[in-house]
Amino acid sequence: MKQQLPLQRRGTWLQDLGDWWTFLILILLVIIFSITAPGFATGQNFVSTTVSASNTVILAIAETFVIITGGIDLSVGAILGLSGIVGATVMQNMMVHGDMPALILGVLAGLGTGIVAGAVNGFVISFMEITPFIATLGMLGIGTGLTYLVSNGTDIVNIPPELSTFGDAVLFNFLGIPALLALVLLLLAWFFLTKTRFGKYTYAIGSNAEGTRRSGVNVKAHLFKIYTLSGLLSGFAGVLIVARLATGSPLEGTNDELNAIASVVIGGASLFGGRGTLFGSTVGALVISVLVSGLVIMGVQPYWQQVTIGVIIILAVYVDQRRYRNRVLK
C-alpha cells in the first residue's frame, strides 16, 4: 500500500492540472507557426490572438461547469449572439439620453438576456426533466431566431464610442482589456470551482447525481444555478464582443458552442461528467485560437479551419471515451 500511494497521488495531481499533452500541443503549435507563418511571433499578433481567444475562454468556462455535471450546453453561442444584439439595440435606442446611460443600460440588458436564457435552460432541464442536449438545442434555435428578429438581420453600429474604446484598449502594449477580463473571470471561476461547496457539489453531481441527492444536496436547484451561470457568462461574452467590434452583429456566436465544447474536451474534461479543470479548458481554448490564428496568417481558407477544428473535436471525444472505458474496466 505504501508503494502504491505515490502513484495514486501522481495520477490525481495530473488530472487536477489537466492534460499536459494538451499543453505540449499548444507549445508545439506556437513553435511550428512561429517558424512557418511570418508575423505570427510578434507582439501585435499575441495581443490579437489573446483578445480573439477571450470569448472562447469565457464560453469554455461556462461549458466547463456544465460538462462537469454531466450535461452539455449547445446554446452558449446563440445566447452570446442574442445578448450582444439586445445590448447593442438598447444602446442604439438610448443614445438620445446620452452615451453613458445608453452604455450602462445596454450592458445590463445584454447580461440580463444571458441570465434569463440560462435560467430558462436551467428550469427546463432541472424541473421539466428534459435532457440537456434537447433543452439547450431548443434554446439554440430560439436564441438564433430572436437574434434575427431583434436585429432584422442587420448590423447595429450606433453604439457609445466609450464602449468600443474600452474594447480596443491594450495595457502595456501586451494585454488587451478583453483578455484581462477573461483572465479575471477565469480566476473567479477557479475559486468557486475548487474552493467552495458550489464546486464540490458540481463535481459530485457529475460523478453520481443520485448519490449526491441522497446525501442532502438539492441537485435540481444546483443544476438550475449552473445553467443560469452559463447564460450569464455567455451574455457577458456577447457584450464583450460588441465592445471589441464596435458593432452588434446577428452572425456573432455562430458555431461558438462547438469551439467552447471542443476547448473543454481537449482540455481533459469528460463528457460523462465528474472530471474537468478550468486550466485544461483554457489551454484547449488557446489551442483552438492559436491554430486559427496561425492558419489565417498562412493564408489557409476559413473552410479548412472549420475542418481542422472538427477533426480535433472527434479526436478529443475519442480519447475521452477510451479513458472512460479504461476507468470503468478498472
Side-chain angles (χ1 to χ4, degrees), residues 55-56 58-61 63-64 67 73 76 255-265 281 288:
N55 281 80
T56 304
I58 294 172
L59 293 184
I61 293 172
E63 207 69 63
T64 300
I67 288 178
D73 192 346
V76 290
N255 293 328
D256 281 1
E257 64 280 351
L258 298 181
N259 291 341
I261 294 170
S263 299
V264 178
V265 177
S281 298
I288 291 176

Side-chain angles (χ1 to χ4, degrees), residues 119-154:
V120 170
N121 277 338
F123 178 81
V124 172
I125 292 167
S126 300
F127 300 102
M128 295 179 65
E129 299 184 351
I130 294 177
T131 59
F133 183 90
I134 298 300
T136 58
L137 180 62
M139 180 56 70
L140 185 156
I142 293 170
T144 301
L146 289 176
T147 297
Y148 281 94
L149 287 172
V150 172
S151 66
N152 290 319
T154 60

Side-chain angles (χ1 to χ4, degrees), residues 81-301:
L82 178 60
S83 299
I85 282 295
V86 169
T89 301
V90 170
M91 292 179 198
Q92 178 174 261
N93 293 335
M94 294 300 295
M95 285 285 282
V96 294
H97 300 288
D99 289 353
M100 287 309 297
L103 191 155
I104 293 172
L105 290 175
V107 169
L108 291 176
L111 295 177
T113 300
I115 292 173
V116 170
V120 170
N121 277 338
F123 178 81
V124 172
I125 292 167
S126 300
F127 300 102
M128 295 179 65
E129 299 184 351
I130 294 177
T131 59
F133 183 90
I134 298 300
T136 58
L137 180 62
M139 180 56 70
L140 185 156
I142 293 170
T144 301
L146 289 176
T147 297
Y148 281 94
L149 287 172
V150 172
S151 66
N152 290 319
T154 60
D155 292 349
I156 298 172
V157 297
N158 189 22
I159 65 173
E162 291 83 359
L163 183 63
S164 58
T165 300
F166 178 81
D168 289 335
V170 178
L171 298 177
F172 312 114
N173 295 320
F174 176 76
L175 186 63
I177 292 296
L180 176 61
L181 292 176
L183 178 60
V184 171
L185 286 177
L186 178 63
L187 293 175
L188 288 173
W190 172 83
F191 175 80
F192 280 103
L193 187 59
T194 62
K195 303 297 182 182
T196 67
R197 289 184 179 180
F198 185 86
K200 292 179 180 179
Y201 293 163
T202 300
Y203 279 106
I205 290 171
S207 298
N208 187 345
E210 180 60 24
T212 304
R213 184 189 66 79
R214 292 184 178 183
S215 68
V217 177
N218 190 332
V219 173
K220 289 185 177 182
H222 191 81
L223 288 176
F224 178 82
K225 294 175 185 176
I226 289 290
Y227 284 93
T228 302
L229 173 64
S230 179
L232 171 60
L233 290 171
S234 301
F236 185 90
V239 173
L240 190 60
I241 204 166
V242 172
R244 280 177 48 207
L245 303 179
T247 302
S249 171
L251 297 178
E252 293 302 332
T254 304
N255 293 328
D256 281 1
E257 64 280 351
L258 298 181
N259 291 341
I261 294 170
S263 299
V264 178
V265 177
I266 291 170
S270 172
L271 290 175
F272 299 97
R275 190 179 78 241
T277 66
L278 289 167
F279 172 83
S281 298
T282 302
V283 172
L286 292 176
V287 165
I288 291 176
S289 298
V290 167
L291 183 63
V292 170
S293 175
L295 292 176
V296 167
I297 293 176
M298 292 180 67
V300 177
Q301 292 183 347

